[in-house]
Amino acid sequence: MSERVPILKIGDVLLVSIQFDLEDQMVMDLQEDLSQRIVDTGAHGVVIDISALEIVDSFVGRMLASTAAISRVLGAETVVVGMRPAVAMTLVELGLSLGGVRTALNLEQGIGELRRSRRNGPVPR
Amino acid sequence: MTNVGDSDRLLGLLTEGREEFTGQWVRSVTSTLAGRLPAAEVQQDLHELYPALLDALRSGGLATRDESYGEVRSLLTELSRNRARQGFSPTETAFSVLSLKDVLEPALTAGEDVRAYLQLARVLDDLGLYTIEVHAKTREEIISAQAEQLLELSTPVVKLWEGVVGVPLVGTLDSARTQVVMEKLLQSLLDLNATHAIVDITGVPAVDTQVAQHLLKTVVAARMMGAECVISGIRPQIAQTIVALGIEFGDITTKATLADALRHALDRIEARGPVEIGGLL
């Protein structure tokens, strides 16, 4: 039985805080749990906090993108928050840009972003 | 030492003609440097060097790698370093030593001292090469020190407004500098809680595909952190080059001046309104 990533509910936003390096099974579990919670709670937004991650590779990058896509299908916007500078630089060097995933500096900004996009539609880049 | 007699006679001649040789030597060196170095400095250098050379010849003979040449070497090191810093060429530096051959030639090749002269010439050649070596090393040190300074000097990140940071880039972007700029920019986004970054390229002399690639990387990295990035300071010629090269900046906002970019950022911040999270709870 592998560990599961906790999913917290704050109002109509779900908060996923990833505290350790993920393995394949945990990612599968997380996506399953998250989609179930979105349906159950009718949440309109998901915040994924990766401020504890020191290493983000293409695997985690793909995980973030697919999680965002799943949430969007279920009607919830996803914002990835708290990426560290070193992580951003590594991803750029790897040629990954996390296209299609919205990002914010920290949890506060992320929730603000979700709230804004709910009020007046997604902010165009 | 193969022939003690030769060496003794050589030393005798050098000691005897000491004043005369040094004077000629100073004149010869001063004339090649064409007044770019004060004669007094040349005189001081060579007046120290000549006796040191005599001492070395007396105790160490012709083995220039020997310890007895330590004094001569340290004097030459200092001389070459100074010349390198003052911008003299390696030839001019080496000539400070090699011109002693010209000075001694008439005096030493007149009689049967040709052999002694040739031996001395070999010593002076060695010392000349040594000065070139030191000269080159000093130049390298200067260049690497300057490169380091440039890297430090040219990458400031400034806070322009609440939530807006600016990076005025000066000079050509290479991968090493991009790395430093990116690191500083991303860290300051975090430290200042900035949601907008402006990369100003007014000071970048030319934008080719390489530089554009590095700019794009910086912008993409800032975006992944959750900040919007604007490129400003694009001069008309650079805009033309960018289009001619077919460089695509995609959906990245670009502005002509830093002022435009700042206005754009402030408009965006205003449009977003303050961060409200209370209502969600």
Side-chain angles (χ1 to χ4, degrees), chain A residues 46-48 50 64 68 72 77-83 88 91 97-107 109-111 113-114 116 125, chain B residues 195 219-228 272:
Chain A
V46 176
V47 175
I48 303 178
I50 57 166
L64 292 172
R72 199 172 300 124
E77 274 297 322
T78 302
V79 181
V80 173
V81 304
M83 185 183 291
L91 284 179
S97 60
L98 294 190
V101 180
R102 291 167 66 185
T103 51
L105 271 186
N106 49 38
L107 180 60
Q109 301 269 5
I111 293 180
E113 175 104 5
L114 285 174
R116 257 195 311 277
R125 279 281 187 193
Chain B
T195 52
V219 172
V220 169
R223 270 191 183 176
M224 282 199 289
M225 297 261 306
E228 280 183 49
R272 285 171 143 216

Side-chain angles (χ1 to χ4, degrees), chain B residues 65-256:
Chain B
R65 303 271 162 204
D66 210 74
E67 259 177 46
S68 49
Y69 275 84
E71 169 81 7
V72 177
R73 276 168 180 277
S74 72
L75 281 172
L76 282 178
T77 306
E78 200 183 326
L79 183 140
S80 314
R81 273 174 189 273
N82 289 337
R83 296 280 200 282
R85 292 217 177 85
Q86 286 154 341
F88 289 102
S89 70
T91 314
E92 285 164 328
T93 308
F95 195 76
S96 299
V97 177
L98 299 181
S99 61
L100 185 58
K101 289 206 300 196
D102 295 343
V103 172
L104 297 179
E105 192 187 326
L108 292 187
T109 50
E112 296 163 12
D113 301 316
V114 177
R115 191 189 156 87
Y117 171 73
L118 288 176
Q119 281 176 340
L120 182 67
R122 205 183 301 145
V123 170
L124 291 175
D125 286 343
D126 272 357
L127 295 176
L129 283 176
Y130 178 73
T131 58
I132 293 179
E133 218 170 88
V134 175
H135 185 278
K137 210 192 274 171
T138 310
R139 297 298 282 214
E140 267 164 36
E141 280 167 16
I142 293 174
I143 291 170
S144 65
Q146 281 174 342
E148 220 166 90
Q149 280 175 358
L150 256 178
L151 207 58
E152 285 170 9
L153 279 177
S154 56
T155 51
V157 176
V158 289
K159 180 177 175 180
L160 292 175
W161 207 270
E162 205 56 56
V164 185
V165 292
V167 191
L169 288 179
V170 178
T172 307
L173 272 182
D174 53 21
S175 7
R177 278 197 61 201
T178 311
Q179 193 77 8
V180 176
V181 170
M182 220 192 269
E183 224 164 89
K184 282 201 177 177
L185 173 64
L186 300 187
Q187 191 57 49
S188 65
L189 287 176
L190 211 58
D191 295 344
L192 301 169
N193 201 11
T195 52
H196 287 77
I198 300 173
V199 179
D200 187 80
I201 59 167
T202 312
V204 178
V207 174
D208 54 14
T209 44
Q210 194 78 24
V211 173
Q213 190 62 36
H214 288 130
L215 278 174
L216 283 177
K217 269 189 188 174
T218 312
V219 172
V220 169
R223 270 191 183 176
M224 282 199 289
M225 297 261 306
E228 280 183 49
C229 212
V230 179
I231 297 176
S232 76
I234 300 176
R235 281 171 279 130
Q237 307 95 302
I238 288 190
Q240 287 170 26
T241 325
I242 287 173
V243 172
L245 287 174
I247 296 168
E248 281 287 339
F249 276 126
D251 53 351
I252 296 165
T253 317
T254 51
K255 295 283 175 192

Side-chain angles (χ1 to χ4, degrees), chain A residues 7-98:
Chain A
I7 301 170
L8 312 173
K9 179 173 172 294
I10 315 172
D12 46 8
V13 172
L14 294 179
L15 170 62
V16 180
S17 183
I18 300 174
Q19 301 288 339
F20 34 75
D21 293 339
L22 297 178
E23 286 155 26
D24 293 30
Q25 189 53 46
M26 288 156 74
V27 171
M28 306 281 280
D29 290 346
L30 172 62
Q31 289 181 344
E32 201 172 298
D33 291 353
L34 185 62
S35 43
Q36 190 59 49
R37 284 295 291 274
I38 293 172
V39 173
D40 290 350
T41 59
H44 79 79
V46 176
V47 175
I48 303 178
D49 172 40
I50 57 166
S51 58
L53 290 190
E54 281 179 27
I55 298 165
V56 172
D57 51 15
S58 56
F59 171 70
V60 177
R62 214 167 40 242
M63 181 277 282
L64 292 172
S66 63
T67 308
I70 292 169
S71 312
R72 199 172 300 124
V73 172
L74 296 169
E77 274 297 322
T78 302
V79 181
V80 173
V81 304
M83 185 183 291
R84 296 185 180 203
V87 169
M89 286 169 66
T90 318
L91 284 179
V92 168
E93 291 304 327
L94 286 174
L96 298 171
S97 60
L98 294 190

